[in-house]
Amino acid sequence: MATLKLKKPAGPAKADRAPVRGSGSGVKKRPTLAEAQALRAEREARYQEQLRQRFGDKPPAGFARRDEASAPRPPRRDERAPAPDPRRRTSAEPLSAQQRPRRDDPRREDSRRVTRSDPRGLAPAPYNGPRDDGRGAQQQRDPRAAPQRPQPHPARPGPNTAFGGGPNKAFGPRRNAPMRPQRDDDDDDFPQHAEKPGSMRLSKRMSELGIASRREADEWIPKGWVRVDGKVVTELGSRVMPGQLISIEAKARDAQALKVTILINKPVGYVSGQAEDGYEPASVLVTPQNQWREDRSGVRYLHSHMRGLAPAGRLDIDSVGLLVLTQDGRIAKQLIGEDSEVEKEYLVRVNTLDGQALPDEKLALLNHGLELDGEALRPAVVEWVNDDQLRFVLREGKKRQIRRMCELVGLKVLGLKRVRIGQVMLGDLPPGQWRYLRGDERFAEPVTAT
C-alpha cells in the first residue's frame, strides 16, 4: 500500500521573522571574570564619588561599604534571640534578699491587689517584661520601675455595645456589675413620668383617638414620628392631656397605608381563627384565584399581605357571611375592642320549637332584657323580615350570642348570615371569595380629639 507524504509549505525565512519577545531579547553573552570585576569596580567608584559629593571625606558609618568577607551578616528579625526576662530565673541562680520582691510588690506573681473596681482581688499583675518597639527590637524595662497601668483595648463593635458598663463599652458590663433585668411587655419598662391629674399615656391616647394601635404608637414614638402640639416626642411613657393635639409624620402614614384589610364571604365549614377539629381557617381562602373579579380597591395582591393577618370578629363554623381579616390594629380595636360601638347586622332563619308564632313578649326580650353568663346584654334591634327570618343588629359579640339568645325564647336557628359590619356591607361578594377594603370605606367614623 502506497504512503503519501505531505510536505510542509515553505514559510518565511528565519531572518525575516520578527523576534518573539521583542528586539534584543535573545540570550545574552555571559561576561568573563575580568569583565565582571571591571564593571563592579566602576560601580564602586561611582558610588564613592556620590558619597564624597554628599558628605565630604568622612561619610557616616551607615553609608560605609563593608567587606563581606570580614564583616558578619547581621541577624534577621526572626533569627534574633529574645531578651531575658528579669522576673524569671533558673533553678541554678540564687536570688538574693535585695532581689526578692516584697509581699505587697505588684511584680510578685502571687500578689492579689484589692481595688475598688476589683474587690475580690482578681486584678492581673501588670506586665513589666520586655516590650517590642514595633521594629523587631525589644526594649528592656527596669524591674525596679513603677508598674504601668495596662491600657484598655480599643473599642470594637460587638453584640453588647448597647449595654455599656466600664471604660470600654463595646465589651459589655464588668464582670462584677449587676445584670439588667430582661424587658417584657409590661408598662413598667418605660420611664416613669410625673402624672398630672387627668393625663394619660401618649400611646393609649393615640389608640383612643384611632390614630394607631398601642403597639404601633410604641414603635413610632422612638423614631420621632409623633408630635404633640407640634413638638416631636421620642420618649416612651410620655403622658399627655386630653386636650393636646396629636399628629403623626408622613412616614407613619405611609407605614399604615401598607397594611391591608380583607373582606371574605365565609362559607360553612371554615373557622374564623386558628384551625380546630380538622376545620380549616378562613384565611386559606385568601389566594389570587379566589379574589373577586369586581374588586375595585386597586390593591395588588402580595404574599406579605398574609403576614400578621388576624380576624376582627368571629363567625361560627355553621355561620356564613362577612368576615374581616386585617393587619391594622386600629381596625381590630374598632371592631372587637371592649368599648366598641360598631353595629353588626345578621339575617337569621328560625322556627319555633312548638310550631306556634313567637309571642311579642319574647320578641321584646330579644331586643332587651336577656342575660348570658350572668351578665345583662346590651340593647339590640331584633325584628321580623318575613315569616321565618329575623334581623338582628348587635353592638357586642359574645360567643354564639344569637343562637343562645334564640334558645332562651324558644327559637331554633336554622341559618345565620352576617351582612354588615358598621358601614361596610357584604353586598354581592360571592361565597368563598374575598376582596380588599377600599380606601373610601370606613367601619365607623374616626373619633376626633376634643
Side-chain angles (χ1 to χ4, degrees):
M1 185 176 180
T3 303
L4 296 178
K5 293 185 179 180
L6 300 178
K7 293 184 179 181
K8 186 176 181 180
K14 292 185 179 180
D16 299 337
R17 293 180 182 178
V20 178
R21 292 172 292 179
S23 177
S25 61
V27 179
K28 293 183 179 181
K29 183 180 178 181
R30 187 173 183 177
T32 62
L33 178 61
E35 293 175 350
Q37 290 178 349
L39 184 61
R40 182 179 300 175
E42 182 182 356
R43 289 199 300 265
E44 179 65 21
R46 196 161 51 243
Y47 177 71
Q48 295 296 336
E49 181 63 25
Q50 293 176 356
L51 290 180
R52 292 191 195 96
Q53 293 178 2
R54 183 176 180 183
F55 300 106
D57 296 337
K58 294 182 179 181
F63 292 89
R65 182 78 70 177
R66 291 190 296 267
D67 187 3
E68 297 181 0
S70 60
R73 179 180 62 84
R76 295 192 299 268
R77 180 180 300 180
D78 54 351
E79 297 176 351
R80 296 173 184 171
D85 191 348
R87 296 183 301 173
R88 297 173 178 259
R89 64 183 181 88
T90 61
S91 58
E93 296 178 355
L95 190 63
S96 62
Q98 291 79 6
Q99 295 176 344
R100 295 195 188 112
R102 296 179 300 178
R103 186 181 300 272
D104 57 348
D105 194 332
R107 290 171 292 159
R108 187 181 176 94
E109 294 183 359
D110 59 347
S111 64
R112 294 292 182 265
R113 295 183 299 161
V114 178
T115 61
R116 181 176 299 178
S117 61
D118 191 1
R120 296 183 298 173
L122 299 180
Y127 179 70
N128 201 25
R131 300 184 182 275
D132 196 342
D133 61 354
R135 295 175 297 179
Q138 294 181 344
Q139 300 176 357
Q140 182 66 33
R141 290 186 55 83
D142 187 1
R144 295 173 296 176
Q148 293 184 354
R149 179 176 298 177
Q151 299 294 329
H153 295 284
R156 298 194 302 268
N160 296 329
T161 306
F163 292 97
N168 189 7
K169 297 184 178 181
F171 297 100
R174 292 189 295 270
R175 185 173 299 177
N176 299 329
M179 294 295 293
R180 292 189 178 184
Q182 297 292 333
R183 288 189 56 182
D184 51 24
D185 295 333
D186 295 335
D187 295 343
D188 298 337
D189 294 332
F190 303 114
Q192 299 297 325
H193 300 269
E195 297 186 10
K196 297 180 181 179
S199 66
M200 64 178 64
R201 280 190 54 187
L202 176 58
S203 59
K204 182 179 179 181
R205 180 57 177 167
M206 293 176 64
S207 177
E208 288 184 354
L209 297 177
I211 300 175
S213 64
R214 289 194 182 187
R215 180 178 298 179
E216 286 177 331
D218 290 336
E219 292 177 358
W220 295 349
I221 291 173
K223 297 178 181 179
W225 293 358
V226 180
R227 291 177 178 267
V228 178
D229 292 338
K231 297 182 180 180
V232 177
V233 178
T234 59
E235 189 173 359
L236 289 174
S238 300
R239 304 185 72 85
V240 295
M241 300 299 293
Q244 291 185 282
L245 179 61
I246 302 174
S247 60
I248 59 177
E249 300 289 340
K251 293 181 179 180
R253 289 192 294 270
D254 294 341
Q256 280 185 336
L258 298 177
K259 298 183 178 181
V260 298
T261 299
I262 292 176
L263 310 177
I264 302 179
N265 189 348
K266 189 188 85 67
V268 175
Y270 290 88
V271 295
S272 302
Q274 299 295 331
E276 57 184 37
D277 299 333
Y279 293 98
E280 291 183 315
S283 58
V284 301
L285 298 173
V286 185
T287 61
Q289 296 76 16
N290 291 336
Q291 186 175 5
W292 192 26
R293 292 183 179 181
E294 299 184 16
D295 187 353
R296 298 182 180 87
S297 62
V299 181
R300 179 184 177 186
Y301 174 81
L302 298 175
H303 291 290
S304 60
H305 294 166
M306 298 298 297
R307 190 181 305 118
L309 201 63
R314 54 178 289 126
L315 277 176
D316 298 332
I317 296 176
D318 300 327
S319 302
V320 299
L322 183 58
L323 178 65
V324 178
L325 304 178
T326 183
Q327 294 178 328
D328 197 335
R330 299 172 301 166
I331 293 180
K333 180 180 181 298
Q334 192 178 62
L335 298 184
I336 60 176
E338 296 180 358
D339 53 350
S340 175
E341 294 291 337
V342 177
E343 295 181 348
K344 289 92 172 177
E345 183 177 346
Y346 304 82
L347 295 178
V348 185
R349 190 172 300 277
V350 297
N351 63 2
T352 57
L353 298 179
D354 55 3
Q356 302 296 326
L358 183 68
D360 294 339
E361 296 81 6
K362 292 186 177 181
L363 182 62
L365 288 177
L366 289 176
N367 283 268
H368 185 54
L370 295 179
E371 294 183 359
L372 290 179
D373 301 327
E375 183 179 354
L377 298 177
R378 294 183 183 180
V381 176
V382 183
E383 59 185 6
W384 288 102
V385 177
N386 50 44
D387 294 341
D388 60 348
Q389 191 169 352
L390 287 171
R391 173 177 172 265
F392 279 74
V393 179
L394 306 180
R395 293 181 179 270
E396 56 186 342
K398 294 184 178 295
K399 185 176 181 180
R400 301 178 64 88
Q401 178 174 344
I402 294 179
R403 297 179 186 273
R404 296 166 65 188
M405 289 173 62
C406 291
E407 291 177 358
L408 293 177
V409 297
L411 291 176
K412 181 180 179 181
V413 176
L414 303 178
L416 187 149
K417 181 178 182 180
R418 184 158 59 192
V419 295
R420 179 175 64 90
I421 298 179
Q423 301 176 7
V424 178
M425 303 291 296
L426 177 63
D428 298 331
L429 183 63
Q433 297 189 16
W434 62 274
R435 68 175 179 89
Y436 288 107
L437 182 71
R438 298 193 306 268
D440 59 342
E441 292 180 308
R442 296 288 186 275
F443 293 99
E445 295 297 332
V447 180
T448 56
T450 57

